[in-house]
Amino acid sequence: MREDTVLQLYFLKVSRYSFLVLLFVFCIGCVSLKTQKELSEEYYNLGNDYFDLENYSRASDLYQKALSYNKNSKNATINLIMAYQNNKKYDDAEKLIISKYEEKTDDYNKKLILLLGKNYFLTNNFNGAINLFKEYINTYPNEVAGFYNLGLSFLKIGDAGTALENFLKAYEIDKTFVPVLYNVSNYYYNEKLYKEALPYVTALSQKESNNDMVLYMYARILYELGEYETSLEYAKKCYTIDSKNADYYLLTAKNYAKGFEDKKNTFYFIDKALEAGYKPSELAEVEEFSVIKETYKNEYNELLKKYVA
């Protein structure tokens, strides 16, 4: 065999060998890269488990571990920020937000802005939160989160009127958003504007049908509007959910007294309210029971004796 032919075969073998080595290294690199991402995902999911258990310190450690394997994990970053906030490590949260934020209009940077606003809110920097949420609204004018959070911030500085304006703007964007329905209902309820509250609290009660506090607000508003039968229905739902809340029994008694002039059930639910911890001295201030107290004075006093030391 010719010498040049032998050399060609030799170099061909070497080339093939080199190619196989390079291919092996490349494959190992791919496997390594995949493993890094898988490990990051595993630590992220484990962090979520601890987050759900409200162990935010351990969750933070696991999210940091996830980021050590994949520093570009947006989910781990967002959840680490929230874990910091829930663990009251607001400085750490703010530093991380600022280090990751870019002036881009995408979901990730949108979340970072909202989390920065939340950080201001949680540290009582309400003016900072207001300014940030205003900027957020300028960039995302059709997002309910901006108006809602701006409303909450105005509430914190005692400007309930401006808070309501922003809650109503949020409502126009999303009429099913529960926190907005609650805050609008609560504003009108506190201002005793019961007719104005009714459409919002009705929608709220339909979405939060197992929330006794929401149902109680609804029942109270119905009572003030003279809708005693429906108010009674929802008052009963309240004490079915929470049998230890005296206010629910008291509202039931008020409905029976004012709406039905039902002495037997009025006395029964006054008794239940007292049994649940309502103070006998406070009953004197309940106008709805004045007629019954005078008409059935002896029975009423006998009832009170059970709870007066």
Side-chain angles (χ1 to χ4, degrees):
M1 183 178 295
R2 290 174 52 188
E3 185 177 345
D4 59 342
T5 303
V6 172
L7 287 172
Q8 287 175 1
L9 289 172
Y10 172 76
F11 284 119
L12 181 60
K13 288 180 180 179
V14 170
S15 299
R16 286 176 179 172
Y17 175 76
S18 300
F19 173 76
L20 289 172
V21 169
L22 290 171
L23 181 62
F24 176 75
V25 170
F26 175 76
C27 290
I28 290 295
C30 291
V31 171
S32 176
L33 183 62
K34 182 179 179 182
T35 303
Q36 296 275 317
K37 287 185 177 180
E38 287 177 344
L39 283 170
S40 177
E41 192 68 20
E42 286 177 9
Y43 279 113
Y44 167 72
N45 290 331
L46 191 56
N48 289 343
D49 291 338
Y50 278 95
F51 192 100
D52 292 339
L53 293 171
E54 299 182 5
N55 188 341
Y56 303 117
S57 180
R58 182 61 179 144
S60 297
D61 293 340
L62 290 163
Y63 293 138
Q64 287 174 326
K65 194 73 175 175
L67 288 167
S68 73
Y69 285 104
N70 180 11
K71 65 180 181 180
N72 297 318
S73 174
K74 294 178 179 178
N75 289 335
T77 299
I78 294 296
N79 283 18
L80 177 56
I81 293 166
M82 292 192 295
Y84 279 149
Q85 290 177 335
N86 288 336
N87 209 26
K88 302 187 187 309
K89 293 188 174 182
Y90 303 120
D91 288 342
D92 291 336
E94 185 170 342
K95 288 176 185 176
L96 183 56
I97 293 167
I98 291 171
S99 70
K100 295 293 184 179
Y101 177 72
E102 297 178 328
E103 291 189 6
K104 296 179 180 179
T105 54
D106 55 27
D107 286 342
Y108 178 57
N109 285 284
K110 188 190 301 183
K111 288 177 182 177
L112 290 175
I113 297 173
L114 289 173
L115 286 169
L116 183 58
K118 180 181 178 182
N119 220 60
Y120 290 152
F121 187 92
L122 292 172
T123 54
N124 298 326
N125 181 4
F126 302 119
N127 288 323
I130 286 169
N131 291 331
L132 188 140
F133 290 130
K134 283 181 176 179
E135 290 180 15
Y136 182 91
I137 289 168
N138 288 336
T139 307
Y140 306 103
N142 298 316
E143 292 280 341
V144 67
F147 290 106
Y148 170 66
N149 284 295
L150 185 57
L152 287 182
S153 300
F154 274 113
L155 268 185
K156 284 294 185 177
I157 63 170
D159 191 345
T162 305
L164 177 65
E165 289 175 11
N166 284 282
F167 291 143
L168 290 174
K169 287 176 182 177
Y171 175 77
E172 289 305 315
I173 296 170
D174 184 356
K175 292 180 170 59
T176 65
F177 190 53
V178 167
V180 167
L181 290 171
Y182 177 82
N183 278 282
V184 174
S185 301
N186 195 53
Y187 173 86
Y188 287 132
Y189 174 74
N190 289 334
E191 294 295 317
K192 299 183 179 181
L193 298 170
Y194 302 119
K195 287 183 179 179
E196 288 82 352
L198 189 58
Y200 302 100
V201 75
T202 301
L204 180 63
S205 67
Q206 291 169 352
K207 295 189 72 65
E208 294 286 295
S209 58
N210 292 316
N211 186 325
D212 54 298
M213 293 177 67
V214 167
L215 298 182
Y216 178 66
M217 187 196 301
Y218 186 39
R220 279 288 308 272
I221 288 170
L222 289 168
Y223 174 81
E224 296 295 343
L225 292 173
E227 300 288 341
Y228 302 117
E229 188 171 346
T230 311
S231 176
L232 181 60
E233 175 189 345
Y234 280 89
K236 288 180 176 180
K237 288 182 180 180
C238 290
Y239 68 70
T240 300
I241 296 170
D242 182 0
S243 61
K244 296 180 180 180
N245 193 314
D247 290 332
Y248 302 162
Y249 296 115
L250 191 71
L251 180 58
T252 305
K254 286 181 179 181
N255 272 293
Y256 276 120
K258 192 171 182 179
F260 301 93
E261 297 181 0
D262 184 333
K263 171 225 170 185
K264 179 181 177 181
N265 277 310
T266 299
F267 270 58
Y268 175 78
F269 283 100
I270 289 175
D271 190 12
K272 293 291 289 183
L274 292 167
E275 186 181 297
Y278 200 83
K279 294 179 181 178
S281 59
E282 294 178 351
L283 281 176
E285 301 173 11
V286 181
E287 183 182 340
E288 289 86 348
F289 302 148
S290 58
V291 174
I292 283 181
K293 284 189 291 186
E294 288 301 318
T295 307
Y296 306 99
K297 191 172 184 178
N298 291 335
E299 290 179 63
Y300 180 78
N301 288 335
E302 283 297 316
L303 176 60
L304 291 187
K305 282 181 183 179
K306 292 167 56 179
Y307 302 98
V308 176

